């Protein structure tokens, strides 16, 4: 049976427990969530031997300390990190190849937006312009494309962190960027890609990862829209 990750299926996330003074703390926690997901969806072929041991510990600790401040579905995220850490690299690489191929531009299932988008022409160029404006350039190293899922999640991590550390006026601008990037880019293509992974792949890790990430993105976009009004009112 198909799993749907549309906006219509989003759980009702109340922002009543998040007064304006706590929004920076919430965005700091979201930074760690995006960091975990960004690393988990990276190509295990591309990043073999490049990720330092224990990369996840700070974010996992932040997740445990701050879980009660954010009403998002985070159950199972730590378990996914453990699965990722304990799976043999060769097995992880084989599962990734089966899903996305050796050449990610010719995919069975898209893990790049320009491949997965319904309106692909010029998508990557638009994303690069956004990254350049904010000085975000991870696609210049590591062999990843600007529209790769892990790079887009990394952008959300960086902008969430900047919001958390900014004054009110800048925080509003960064919040608007997050809202627009989620709605114009990530939610335009990733939920359908997640559906394909859940429906077709046999291993345990990637279907669970993509299902959890799709749910999180829908929920986070909803929280971002609702919390933006509170941020503007501070």
């Amino acid at each position: 049976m198909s799993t749907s990750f549309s906006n219509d299926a989003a759980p009702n996330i109340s922002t009543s427990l998040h007064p304006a003074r706590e929004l920076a703390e919430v965005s700091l926690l979201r930074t760690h969530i995006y960091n975990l997901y960004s690393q988990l969806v990276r190509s295990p072929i591309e990043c073999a031997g490049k990720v330092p041991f224990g990369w996840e510990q700070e974010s996992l600790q932040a997740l445990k300390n701050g879980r009660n401040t954010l009403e998002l579905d985070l159950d199972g995220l730590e378990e996914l990190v453990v699965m990722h850490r304990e799976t043999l690299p060769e097995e992880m690489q084989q599962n990734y190849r089966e899903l996305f191929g050796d050449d990610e531009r010719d995919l069975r299932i898209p893990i790049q937006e320009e491949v997965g988008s319904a309106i692909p022409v010029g998508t990557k160029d638009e994303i690069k312009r956004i990254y350049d404006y904010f000085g975000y350039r991870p696609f210049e190293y590591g062999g990843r494309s600007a529209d790769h899922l892990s790079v887009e999640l990394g952008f959300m991590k960086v902008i969430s962190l900047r919001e958390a550390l900014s004054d009110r006026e800048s925080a509003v601008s960064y919040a608007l960027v997050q809202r627009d990037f989620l709605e114009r880019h990530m939610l335009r293509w990733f939920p359908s890609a997640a559906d394909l992974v859940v429906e077709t792949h046999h291993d345990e890790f990637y279907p669970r990862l993509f299902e959890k990430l799709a749910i999180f993105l829908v929920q986070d976009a909803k929280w971002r829209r609702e919390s933006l009004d509170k941020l503007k009112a501070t």
Side-chain angles (χ1 to χ4, degrees), residues 119-133:
I119 312 174
V121 177
T123 298
K124 190 183 296 187
D125 290 337
E126 178 184 345
I127 292 171
K128 285 183 177 179
R129 286 193 294 271
I130 295 171
Y131 292 171
D132 285 343
Y133 183 82

Side-chain angles (χ1 to χ4, degrees), residues 124-230:
K124 190 183 296 187
D125 290 337
E126 178 184 345
I127 292 171
K128 285 183 177 179
R129 286 193 294 271
I130 295 171
Y131 292 171
D132 285 343
Y133 183 82
F134 291 100
Y136 175 70
R137 298 183 177 90
F139 52 90
E140 294 180 351
Y141 60 85
R144 289 177 291 171
S145 173
D147 63 338
H148 192 283
L149 176 60
S150 67
V151 181
E152 294 192 351
L153 290 167
F155 177 70
M156 288 294 299
K157 174 189 75 173
V158 168
I159 300 302
S160 296
L161 178 60
R162 291 186 187 179
E163 177 199 348
L165 301 178
S166 294
D167 57 29
R168 177 200 167 278
E169 183 176 351
S170 297
V172 170
S173 296
Y174 287 130
L176 286 167
V177 172
Q178 294 168 57
R179 182 200 65 185
D180 291 348
F181 194 78
L182 282 166
E183 294 181 355
R184 287 175 53 84
H185 292 285
M186 304 205 73
L187 291 180
R188 185 172 68 169
W189 73 276
F190 180 70
S192 60
D195 276 336
L196 288 173
V197 172
V198 171
E199 292 170 3
T200 63
H201 202 52
H202 59 80
D203 87 304
E204 187 177 4
F205 176 72
Y206 281 109
R208 290 178 62 182
L209 171 61
F210 275 56
E211 180 178 16
K212 282 292 182 185
L213 176 54
I215 291 171
F216 166 71
L217 290 177
V218 171
Q219 291 181 331
D220 193 50
K222 186 174 186 292
W223 178 86
R224 180 74 283 173
R225 289 192 300 270
E226 294 175 351
S227 63
L228 187 54
D229 291 335
K230 286 192 173 184

Side-chain angles (χ1 to χ4, degrees), residues 17-41:
L17 298 179
H18 307 307
R21 67 181 182 275
E22 296 181 2
L23 291 178
E25 180 182 346
V26 174
S27 283
L28 188 59
L29 177 60
R30 291 170 59 250
T31 296
H32 289 288
I33 298 169
Y34 275 108
N35 178 54
L36 291 171
Y37 277 124
S38 177
Q39 291 296 329
L40 290 174
V41 302

Side-chain angles (χ1 to χ4, degrees), residues 19-104:
R21 67 181 182 275
E22 296 181 2
L23 291 178
E25 180 182 346
V26 174
S27 283
L28 188 59
L29 177 60
R30 291 170 59 250
T31 296
H32 289 288
I33 298 169
Y34 275 108
N35 178 54
L36 291 171
Y37 277 124
S38 177
Q39 291 296 329
L40 290 174
V41 302
R42 282 186 70 177
S43 165
I45 303 162
E46 171 265 320
C47 67
K50 300 178 184 178
V51 179
F53 180 79
W55 65 268
E56 75 284 5
Q57 292 305 311
E58 181 180 354
S59 291
L60 285 178
Q61 190 60 48
L63 204 66
K64 292 176 181 177
N65 293 341
R67 182 168 296 207
N68 290 333
T69 70
L70 190 60
E71 296 177 52
L72 298 176
D73 180 9
L74 304 179
D75 291 341
L77 180 52
E78 182 176 358
E79 184 178 352
L80 284 167
V81 173
V82 173
M83 288 176 63
H84 183 270
R85 184 172 58 220
E86 295 181 350
T87 302
L88 291 174
E90 296 80 5
E91 181 181 348
M92 189 71 71
Q93 291 173 13
Q94 179 59 33
N95 289 332
Y96 190 90
R97 284 191 179 98
E98 289 177 1
L99 279 167
F100 310 115
D102 289 312
D103 184 351
E104 293 170 342

